[in-house]
Amino acid sequence: QMDYGIYAKHLSGQYDSAHQIFSDNTVKGHFGYHITPNQMFSVEAGYERNRNNFVQRTSPYVLNIDSTKNIYNYMHGAAFYERGAPSKDGFGFNGNLQYHFQNKQNANKENFISMGGSVQKSIRGHELNAPVQFSHLSFGSDSAAYKRLFIDVNPRYFLDYNRLKLNVGFNSTIFHDSADSRFYFYPVVDFKMVLVENKLMAHIGL
């Protein structure tokens, strides 16, 4: 089974024959394919170009239009893959890769790359989920430049005993930029117990 589509848009506004105040142009497309009932692959991409002139009204009869054109370009692309767990003790996986680029009149440029995935494993009716995400951001202009790197690892183990539900794991992030490096770690414990079905539940979390 396939799913696909394309989207295009153009908007513009004009003050008079000599001044176009803004324009907005967008093109996007996506394609998805179910390899099997439990596996899916999809891609998407898009491009946007926005242009505007700043406007200031100094009196009810005078409208000043900045002659400088402010142009913004934005491009993005992404790919996703997902495999669901086919049975009670099955194995699942999903992955993603994304790229974004934007700039303003070739002066300020920003690149963003993100990739990651998650593994799901059912163990005797309980679910283990282990996502990992890598993100890299770079920015450059005429006066400054910096880079940032994030690595996130946030595993979870969900135990379901009908009335008693327990979620344990941790959140961790490795952060690095042009000036500093840091590591963050937070334990996660979430406890729920049904006291009265559909009416009362005790909840404790950390």
Side-chain angles (χ1 to χ4, degrees):
Q1 183 180 355
M2 292 187 296
D3 174 54
Y4 54 88
I6 189 168
Y7 169 82
K9 177 186 73 173
H10 170 75
L11 298 174
S12 63
Q14 191 162 309
Y15 172 65
D16 55 31
S17 60
H19 297 97
Q20 185 184 45
I21 296 177
F22 79 92
S23 66
D24 182 359
N25 304 277
T26 302
V27 178
K28 297 179 181 179
H30 76 274
F31 173 82
Y33 180 66
H34 287 267
I35 305 170
T36 68
N38 292 311
Q39 296 183 71
M40 186 184 74
F41 172 76
S42 65
V43 294
E44 61 182 51
Y47 171 70
E48 299 179 32
R49 184 182 187 275
N50 299 287
R51 195 212 105 179
N52 67 69
N53 293 67
F54 292 106
V55 179
Q56 180 182 19
R57 186 178 291 278
T58 55
S59 74
Y61 310 103
V62 179
L63 187 67
N64 294 324
I65 300 177
D66 190 342
S67 61
T68 303
K69 296 178 182 179
N70 297 279
I71 300 175
Y72 302 87
N73 293 288
Y74 173 73
M75 293 183 294
H76 78 277
F80 304 91
Y81 171 78
E82 183 172 354
R83 179 186 183 274
S87 64
K88 182 178 178 180
D89 293 323
F91 168 81
F93 171 80
N94 67 72
N96 65 83
L97 173 64
Q98 303 180 59
Y99 173 73
H100 301 264
F101 168 80
Q102 62 182 354
N103 76 327
K104 175 186 175 184
Q105 292 183 288
N106 299 317
N108 300 331
K109 296 182 179 181
E110 187 173 284
N111 290 275
F112 177 76
I113 299 174
S114 176
M115 61 183 296
S118 177
V119 175
Q120 301 92 36
K121 173 66 178 176
S122 295
I123 305 173
R124 296 183 180 180
H126 308 300
E127 181 182 343
L128 174 65
N129 187 11
V132 177
Q133 193 73 26
F134 166 90
S135 303
H136 181 267
L137 171 68
S138 64
F139 173 85
S141 68
D142 295 335
S143 59
Y146 67 82
K147 295 181 179 180
R148 288 182 175 175
L149 171 67
F150 297 88
I151 301 176
D152 299 297
V153 181
N154 304 316
R156 294 288 189 277
Y157 189 35
F158 302 94
L159 299 118
D160 189 348
Y161 298 102
N162 295 323
R163 285 184 171 271
L164 174 64
K165 303 179 188 299
L166 185 63
N167 175 14
V168 295
F170 61 86
N171 294 336
S172 63
T173 299
I174 300 173
F175 167 76
H176 174 74
D177 66 6
S178 302
D180 193 13
S181 297
R182 299 179 185 180
F183 174 70
Y184 301 93
F185 179 87
Y186 305 98
V188 174
V189 179
D190 193 62
F191 171 87
K192 296 179 182 178
M193 176 176 283
V194 178
L195 303 178
V196 181
E197 192 69 33
N198 298 323
K199 293 182 178 180
L200 184 62
M201 174 183 290
H203 183 192
I204 301 174
L206 172 63

